[in-house]
Amino acid sequence: MHEPAAANMPTYLGMPAFPSAARTAVADARLRGNLAHATSTIRDRRAAAVAELDDWAQLREAGRQIKDHTLEHLGHYLRELEERVTAAGGTVHWARDAAEANQIVADLVRATGETEVVKVKSMATQEIGLNEALAEVGITAHETDLAELIVQLGDDRPSHILVPAIHRNRTEIRDLFRREMPDAPADLTDSPAELAEAARVHLREKFLTAKVAVSGVNFAVAETGTLVVLESEGNGRMCLTLPETLISVMGVEKLVPTWRDLEVFLQLLPRSSTAERMNPYTSAWTGITPGDGPRDFHLVLLDNGRTATLADEVGRQALRCIRCSACLNVCPVYTRAGGHAYGSPYPGPIGAILSPQIRGVGSEVDASLPYASTLCGACYEVCPVAIDIPEVLVHLRAKAVEDGPRHPLVNSAMAAAGWTLRSPRRLALAQRAASLSRRIVARRGRIRRLPGPLHAWTDTRDAPAPPPESFRSWWSRTNGGRDQ
């Protein structure tokens, strides 16, 4: 593997830290309604699909073990994958970060002479901001997944891993199609069937004329060099077979060693994501085949902070993620605040642990994400590869305190506390002052709002009032309780 480099993943422009963004989102009643309806429906269907399998716990454990084994020997399996893809007529490119990956893809597209590409949904390309990077060099990327198309037409941001437009209802989508799709019927209703048909008609010309496609990768089989994409609409099949050039962007963690290992994940992923026993479209390709499919195939292997994440013994389990989105649909924080509040292409519980590791905790947004959780553990219970998200959240909270940005008040408070605690006399005076303040800051024995910058502590919790007398004073007055 190449040496790790600084990661580069876009924080959505203008996004504040999670608490501020979430406060705004929670105040949007329509957003809360859209989220509640969609996530509860997916959650209930998933639970029913999983309950059909008596060996779900064993499948989950098998998925965890396969992923951990692969990550432990990642360099070996990546080299094997490169050898097999190359032997099958493909070309492998290694990208240390987002900028390098975007440059590789842009150069490949420009080499074809084309200025448009079609895309099948890919979290990795969202992570690196590929669409924006291509636009800067005059190349237009057309999203072909229905939800991604909705997001693109609305100049919006995805808010869910599986259902990027989950924050919009079908009436909003109908209005968007009428406004932004020139070929949309004037009498288009908000019927799901009509909306889907309007999208198909709109995309059909793109599929038939596009010479270049960009795809993501759900899984890559090291022993054969085969790449696999799972999807539900058939747009992926069109992107993977019709264009002359196919460029696939894949995070280095998406490997499985063998075809036999793939069988486990083809059971885990559909039930955990779309609540289906089997996804409608599974496309697999190995290099190029003369006369069948693209004539030119390129695989871009993306690091972008994954090697650094792999070095963290606690945090590396986030790399097991198969992007099913089950954790989002059960999270009490996500289901009320939605995905945009996370300021990242990866929302929800998995985003709260993946984004700070890929990008670091140096920004306000990333330092706040590990706190975007109640630590209830529901995300761990539904994760099909047993990622202990609460454990990683607590681990990252410690890192955020150590490495993340600090409010100047925190540094001043810590310095004042150190100065006070170094002197018994100063500590006694501070304790006495705290006891005297109880009449000012507390009501009925609780502090419900502190003044000034200190209000951040009491915005989400009450604090007990200082006692009328400190323990040190009581001990001195009563001779350790013997005079009472």
Side-chain angles (χ1 to χ4, degrees):
M1 293 176 63
H2 289 283
E3 292 298 316
N8 182 4
M9 182 168 80
T11 298
Y12 293 141
L13 294 178
M15 287 300 296
F18 182 84
S20 298
R23 188 177 298 112
T24 302
V26 169
D28 186 336
R30 183 165 64 174
L31 173 64
R32 292 201 317 273
N34 293 348
L35 289 168
H37 172 72
T39 56
S40 62
T41 299
I42 299 171
R43 184 169 62 241
D44 292 345
R45 289 177 178 172
R46 177 206 171 273
V50 167
E52 293 178 350
L53 297 183
D54 294 334
D55 62 345
W56 180 258
Q58 290 81 4
L59 276 170
R60 185 179 190 239
E61 176 61 17
R64 183 192 69 79
Q65 290 187 20
I66 292 168
K67 279 290 186 178
D68 282 351
H69 168 80
T70 307
L71 292 171
E72 186 176 350
H73 302 90
L74 188 57
H76 164 76
Y77 288 120
L78 284 171
R79 286 189 292 271
E80 184 178 11
L81 177 70
E82 181 180 31
E83 292 171 2
R84 299 294 186 270
V85 170
T86 303
T91 304
V92 176
H93 309 262
W94 298 80
R96 292 180 174 87
D97 56 23
E100 195 165 305
N102 288 334
Q103 187 65 53
I104 291 169
V105 176
D107 288 346
L108 290 171
V109 177
R110 285 189 293 193
T112 68
E114 297 296 318
T115 58
E116 292 186 319
V117 302
V118 289
K119 285 182 63 196
V120 54
K121 186 173 73 172
S122 165
M123 295 298 296
T125 61
Q126 291 173 14
E127 174 187 325
I128 63 177
L130 178 63
N131 288 8
E132 294 78 7
L134 292 178
E136 288 179 1
V137 295
I139 300 169
T140 302
H142 299 284
E143 298 290 352
T144 64
D145 176 87
L146 175 57
E148 289 285 354
L149 174 64
I150 293 166
V151 169
Q152 187 175 46
L153 289 175
D155 195 22
D156 201 350
R157 299 185 301 268
S159 62
H160 192 279
I161 290 175
L162 177 67
V163 194
I166 196 172
H167 55 288
R168 290 185 178 271
N169 60 40
R170 62 192 193 187
T171 301
E172 294 175 277
I173 295 168
R174 177 205 62 195
D175 294 342
L176 177 65
F177 279 13
R178 285 179 175 177
R179 187 171 62 250
E180 300 295 336
M181 280 177 26
D183 46 5
D187 59 349
L188 181 66
T189 74
D190 63 1
S191 160
E194 286 193 33
L195 294 173
E197 178 61 20
R200 279 195 290 269
V201 170
H202 176 73
L203 291 170
R204 190 166 294 139
E205 180 186 358
K206 304 299 181 186
F207 287 134
L208 294 176
T209 60
K211 303 296 184 182
V212 182
V214 175
S215 85
V217 178
N218 287 109
F219 304 103
V221 182
E223 72 173 351
T224 61
T226 302
L227 306 184
V228 183
V229 163
L230 281 65
E231 41 102 9
S232 300
E233 300 173 21
N235 60 301
R237 183 69 55 83
M238 303 284 276
C239 289
L240 296 168
T241 56
L242 292 179
E244 296 175 359
T245 299
L246 173 60
I247 305 167
S248 298
V249 181
M250 171 188 137
V252 294
E253 81 281 14
K254 294 298 186 70
L255 275 172
V256 295
T258 69
W259 268 102
R260 184 176 182 181
D261 297 324
L262 184 63
E263 179 263 343
V264 173
F265 296 101
L266 292 182
Q267 295 182 74
L268 288 173
L269 181 55
R271 290 177 187 267
S272 290
S273 57
T274 56
E276 294 169 300
R277 298 179 181 91
M278 181 178 180
N279 57 289
Y281 295 91
T282 300
S283 299
W285 68 101
T286 307
I288 58 174
T289 302
D292 183 12
R295 298 199 294 267
D296 197 12
F297 169 62
H298 299 268
L299 172 61
V300 181
L301 293 172
L302 176 68
D303 186 329
N304 203 41
R306 287 161 174 79
T307 300
T309 303
L310 187 61
D312 187 324
E313 292 186 2
V314 177
R316 70 175 59 160
Q317 58 186 298
L319 297 178
R320 293 183 206 147
C321 178
I322 58 175
R323 309 293 191 266
C324 70
S325 78
C327 62
L328 280 68
N329 301 321
V330 299
C331 176
V333 176
Y334 174 86
T335 55
R336 288 159 178 79
H340 292 161
Y342 292 81
S344 162
Y346 297 107
I350 189 60
I353 65 171
L354 189 58
S355 299
Q357 294 192 89
I358 290 178
R359 299 189 299 209
V361 292
S363 70
E364 277 194 53
V365 172
D366 292 304
S368 71
L369 287 179
Y371 297 90
S373 170
T374 65
L375 300 180
C376 68
C379 50
Y380 172 57
E381 294 300 322
V382 300
C383 177
V385 286
I387 302 171
D388 193 341
I389 293 178
E391 178 188 34
V392 183
L393 286 167
V394 172
H395 172 66
L396 291 176
R397 289 180 183 187
K399 293 187 71 173
V401 171
E402 294 169 3
D403 305 332
R406 292 190 181 184
H407 193 286
L409 183 63
V410 174
N411 295 329
S412 300
M414 292 298 103
W419 179 80
T420 302
L421 294 171
R422 282 194 296 269
S423 166
R425 181 172 175 276
R426 290 195 291 263
L427 177 59
L429 288 172
Q431 290 173 329
R432 184 178 179 188
S435 295
L436 292 173
S437 72
R438 62 182 276 114
R439 295 181 180 179
I440 301 173
V441 300
R443 292 182 179 179
R444 300 190 200 134
R446 310 293 292 179
I447 299 174
R448 290 177 169 79
R449 183 166 181 82
L450 287 170
L454 297 175
H455 75 84
W457 177 260
T458 51
D459 276 349
T460 53
R461 62 179 71 77
D462 291 343
E469 183 178 30
S470 71
F471 176 80
R472 291 162 62 92
S473 298
W474 173 86
W475 186 274
S476 176
R477 180 174 58 80
T478 64
N479 191 23
R482 287 189 287 273
D483 295 342
Q484 285 192 334

